[in-house]
Amino acid sequence: MNALLIYPQFPETFWSFKYALSFLGKRAAQPPLGLMTVAALLPKDWKKRLVDTNVERLRDRDLDWADVVLLSGMHIQREALMTIVGRCRARGLKTVVGGPITSSVQPADLRADHIVIGEAEKLIAELARDLEQGRAQAVYQAREKPEMETSPLPDVSLIKMKRYSTMTVQYSRGCPFNCEFCDIIEIYGRRPRTKAVTQVLAELDQLRAAGWRDGVFIVDDNFIGNKARAKHLCAALAEWRQRSSTRFDFITEASLNLADDPELMQLMKDAGFKSIFLGIETPDESGLISSHKLQNTRRNLLDSVATIQSYGMQVMGGFILGFDTDCVDIFDRMVEFIQKSGIPIAMVGLLQAMPGTQLFQRLRKEGRILDAGNGNNTSEHLNFLPRMDATRLIEGYRSVLKRIYGCEAYYERVKVYLNRTMPKPGEPRTNQEWLKRGNARALITSVVRQGVFGRQRRSYWKFLLTAATRYRRCFGAAMTLAVMGYHFEVMTHRLLKTVQQPLLPGAAEAAIAEAEDGQSR
Ligand code: B12
Ligand code: SF4
């Protein structure tokens, strides 16, 4: 069998990092690890090719070569995925769709020949056999959440590595917490399942052997879901870095209770963790309590962030507007919090009720669901009736983005962060590595795009000067963030230019039924 694995294109969003990646000559942030894992699970005697349409074109001759097409994706890729499915169907090519999208969208709506819901490790053998024999079923649903020891070494030979800014490795799936709006716990469960340390090191060895020398994103739902195991892994990573003389910088996602564990933070620092994404959600404690985000309560959130930053880790934060508890002062409070936090990359989104979540169920019972959502919480699409007036909520959302991604405000946050993490005299500078890595191109492009043609030239030059003088010991980090800021500036500018769409309550009966159907699966 010739199996063609295809990853659909993402729309342009705050999360695509598109305008920052172009500075580095990269086309996408990360490769499709789900498909690379599926490829490794398929029978050895099958021939495999992978086309990630975020970094290359899908050509007719790829489709001519294939006996079967396997697609993966998130809810947000639905449109692009369905276009590819349509193209395959027109040629009589069989399609199989898997990945998180199949947990959010009804099988029939994806119009593929075969749908796989859930993790693939334990069911691929059956699917492959059925495909070979021409008797594959319409829907395969994973009966269990497989142990991670059964997950194979992903097939990196299939990707065009140089086109990505970061490589990915997954250590664990699942998260022990119970946030009401979260679909991770519905898809991957609440019991953190981890790979063996040897599996992770084998993946890193594989990346190194393939010539990778840059950042590695440990794409866990919550890296510290099992703290004891995370510590064990970090110790092994530090030892591996030493032994292999490899300076991979690690990025991951974790819960805020990381700030309570100095031993773990130190181990992460020693292992090379440089950035961490935290779901902070809201500075309003009542919003955290009502959404069951209890691990973020009964603490000073700003202090927790500063503690983590003091271990040299850049904190990226996820924030949500639109909780039932939000009053109109939430917008100012959110801006004030973000500015004080020293979190340059603050992903502020509108609450979206994803099908399958506890939030979706509650809102459905309350008759407030409008549709199944679009999987993108940084668009202005509201898929439920908020408590706050919807127009006011969207206006407030826009005002937050405008204020935090204005150049001056953004650079102020970068400076707060750099002040907390800049190496002290006598400590090794963090910029040498950056300057070595051929980032000259990014710097020149930044000077031209932001300093010559940018809308905020004055603020840019002021920041560049400060970076080259006061922050010269971490100039690389400063300029990387300046480049990232450009993406957020462009995206915010675009969003603010669009006309606000009115919410149409009552026009969503069919969508509610669709969402309910998805829910009952
Ligand atoms: C890394 C990551 C990203 C990266 C991009 C990675 C990439 N290139 O795809 C970044 C940071 C850019 C990102 C962004 C976003 N992400 Co994201 N991301 C992840 C994360 C943490 C890891 C993905 C991964 O590599 N997993 C490892 C692989 C091995 O797992 P897997 O893909 O699930 O694959 C397994 C099965 O699903 C199955 N499978 C997968 N594909 C296929 C295909 C076939 C044919 C078969 C048979 C089986 C199969 O087999 C695999 C092995 O079991 C996941 C969470 C997670 N646990 O996966 C969220 C996740 C995928 N992201 C999610 C979301 C919502 C987003 C955003 C939309 C954010 C937002 N809130 O707006 C943006 C969209 C991007 C954009 N441009 O706008 C959701 C998707 C929910 C959904 N129902 O679709 C997830 C599940 C997390 C969550 N709930 O918040 N993301
Ligand atoms: S901490 Fe994050 S991953 Fe865990 S349940 Fe809450 S939102 Fe989901």
Side-chain angles (χ1 to χ4, degrees):
M1 291 279 269
N2 288 347
L4 180 64
L5 300 112
I6 307 179
Y7 201 49
Q9 203 170 4
F10 283 107
E12 228 174 73
T13 70
F14 279 81
W15 278 102
S16 67
F17 303 109
K18 178 177 164 185
Y19 296 98
L21 289 169
S22 66
F23 282 56
L24 298 163
K26 303 287 181 184
R27 300 202 193 163
Q30 287 106 24
L33 188 61
L35 283 179
M36 290 152 68
T37 307
V38 167
L41 288 162
L42 288 171
K44 294 275 168 285
D45 59 341
W46 283 27
K47 293 198 180 69
K48 296 141 207 165
R49 282 189 196 167
L50 193 156
V51 176
D52 176 357
T53 58
N54 294 284
V55 303
E56 62 198 304
R57 271 185 39 237
L58 174 63
R59 299 159 308 178
D60 282 344
R61 66 168 186 268
D62 295 317
L63 297 172
D64 290 342
W65 171 86
D67 296 318
V68 61
V69 167
L70 297 110
L71 295 120
S72 179
M74 305 182 197
H75 193 173
I76 196 174
Q77 289 157 284
R78 177 176 173 168
E79 219 177 291
L81 182 140
M82 292 194 50
T83 307
I84 299 170
V85 168
R87 208 169 141 188
C88 295
R89 286 182 80 91
R91 311 169 78 91
L93 241 180
K94 292 274 178 230
T95 49
V96 186
V97 173
I101 191 171
T102 61
S103 301
S104 317
V105 179
Q106 277 196 74
D109 290 341
L110 291 169
R111 300 206 197 110
D113 298 291
H114 316 287
I115 301 289
V116 175
I117 305 166
E119 296 167 49
E121 280 77 359
K122 285 287 175 70
L123 58 69
I124 280 281
E126 182 190 348
L127 169 73
R129 194 193 52 228
D130 292 353
L131 284 169
E132 275 174 345
Q133 295 172 359
R135 56 176 177 85
Q137 302 158 35
V139 178
Y140 290 80
Q141 167 114 43
R143 278 184 286 274
E144 56 183 303
K145 302 215 178 337
E147 292 308 324
M148 293 293 281
E149 278 86 357
T150 60
S151 202
L153 195 63
D155 192 340
V156 291
S157 70
L158 297 175
I159 57 163
K160 301 190 171 55
M161 204 176 238
K162 290 208 170 105
R163 297 190 182 175
Y164 300 94
S165 67
T166 319
M167 283 297 117
T168 49
V169 168
Q170 190 177 42
Y171 172 52
S172 71
R173 292 183 195 153
C175 172
F177 294 110
N178 192 24
C179 307
E180 190 193 31
F181 51 82
C182 178
D183 71 340
I184 288 204
I185 47 178
E186 312 303 336
I187 304 177
Y188 302 101
R190 290 186 58 196
R191 182 175 66 88
R193 292 164 285 141
T194 59
K195 285 183 183 164
V197 167
T198 46
Q199 280 176 283
V200 176
L201 298 187
E203 290 188 36
L204 295 174
D205 282 332
Q206 171 174 252
L207 291 176
R208 197 169 166 272
W212 188 254
R213 294 291 178 271
D214 273 319
V216 174
F217 188 171
I218 311 263
V219 289
D220 290 11
D221 304 317
N222 183 354
F223 180 70
I224 64 162
N226 182 327
K227 283 189 177 182
R229 291 203 193 158
K231 286 178 186 175
H232 185 50
L233 176 69
C234 285
L237 287 178
E239 200 266 327
W240 178 85
R241 268 163 68 94
Q242 200 87 44
R243 177 165 38 90
S244 62
S245 317
T246 309
R247 295 254 157 267
F248 284 161
D249 286 346
F250 294 112
I251 310 165
T252 196
E253 305 188 349
S255 44
L256 197 73
N257 58 323
L258 170 63
D260 307 336
D261 196 328
E263 185 196 359
L264 181 50
M265 287 183 287
Q266 186 59 47
L267 282 163
M268 287 178 75
K269 181 179 181 178
D270 297 343
F273 281 85
K274 294 286 161 58
S275 303
I276 187 146
F277 183 87
L278 303 173
I280 296 172
E281 324 306 0
T282 175
D284 178 48
E285 177 121 339
S286 60
L288 294 169
I289 294 171
S290 68
S291 60
H292 313 157
K293 190 122 199 164
L294 301 179
Q295 68 275 26
N296 286 16
T297 61
R298 293 188 304 277
R299 63 171 69 239
N300 182 319
L301 290 170
L302 286 172
D303 286 351
S304 298
V305 169
T307 305
I308 297 172
Q309 287 165 332
S310 73
Y311 284 82
M313 289 185 270
Q314 187 204 142
V315 171
M316 297 176 274
F319 297 90
I320 296 177
L321 289 165
F323 288 120
D324 283 356
T325 42
D326 282 351
C327 301
V328 285
D329 66 351
I330 191 65
F331 307 114
D332 291 340
R333 289 173 65 193
M334 184 75 88
V335 172
E336 193 192 347
F337 180 91
I338 291 172
Q339 286 309 114
K340 284 187 180 158
S341 68
I343 297 179
I345 300 178
M347 292 296 196
V348 185
L350 284 171
L351 184 63
Q352 194 161 113
M354 299 277 269
T357 59
Q358 298 168 58
L359 175 68
F360 189 92
Q361 282 173 25
R362 173 169 68 80
L363 294 175
R364 192 177 44 139
K365 270 193 211 132
E366 295 174 6
R368 294 166 61 196
I369 288 290
L370 296 174
D371 61 45
N374 61 4
N376 176 12
N377 72 353
T378 59
S379 73
E380 291 183 341
H381 179 84
L382 282 171
N383 78 324
F384 69 99
L385 284 172
R387 283 257 184 269
M388 191 187 292
D389 172 68
T391 311
R392 180 74 197 85
L393 176 57
I394 292 175
E395 271 169 16
Y397 175 56
R398 288 182 168 213
S399 85
V400 171
L401 290 180
K402 189 173 174 187
R403 285 183 279 168
I404 64 168
Y405 284 118
C407 255
E408 287 294 337
Y410 178 78
Y411 291 140
E412 269 320 303
R413 294 204 298 284
V414 175
K415 285 191 261 178
V416 173
Y417 156 67
L418 293 175
N419 286 337
R420 289 179 186 165
T421 54
M422 184 163 61
K424 311 217 166 26
E427 284 178 2
R429 291 178 178 216
T430 53
N431 64 357
Q432 273 145 356
E433 216 172 307
W434 187 83
L435 290 173
K436 242 189 347 204
R437 284 188 195 163
N439 281 336
R441 171 192 169 138
L443 187 58
I444 294 165
T445 317
S446 162
V447 168
V448 175
R449 274 197 218 163
Q450 297 177 270
V452 180
F453 297 109
R455 273 183 294 270
Q456 316 269 349
R457 289 187 286 271
R458 266 174 69 89
S459 313
Y460 174 80
W461 282 110
K462 215 167 85 192
F463 178 75
L464 186 67
L465 255 160
T466 319
T469 52
R470 192 164 7 135
Y471 299 109
R472 63 187 181 286
R473 306 184 68 78
C474 51
F475 180 72
M479 289 318 295
T480 303
L481 283 166
V483 165
M484 297 294 280
Y486 181 69
H487 172 75
F488 297 112
E489 184 197 322
V490 174
M491 290 308 300
T492 305
H493 184 72
R494 292 207 170 166
L495 188 76
L496 297 180
K497 263 191 2 199
T498 57
V499 180
Q500 208 169 306
Q501 296 296 320
L503 198 65
L504 292 174
E509 285 304 314
I512 294 173
E514 172 194 326
E516 280 181 358
D517 261 16
Q519 171 68 17
S520 61
R521 272 192 283 111

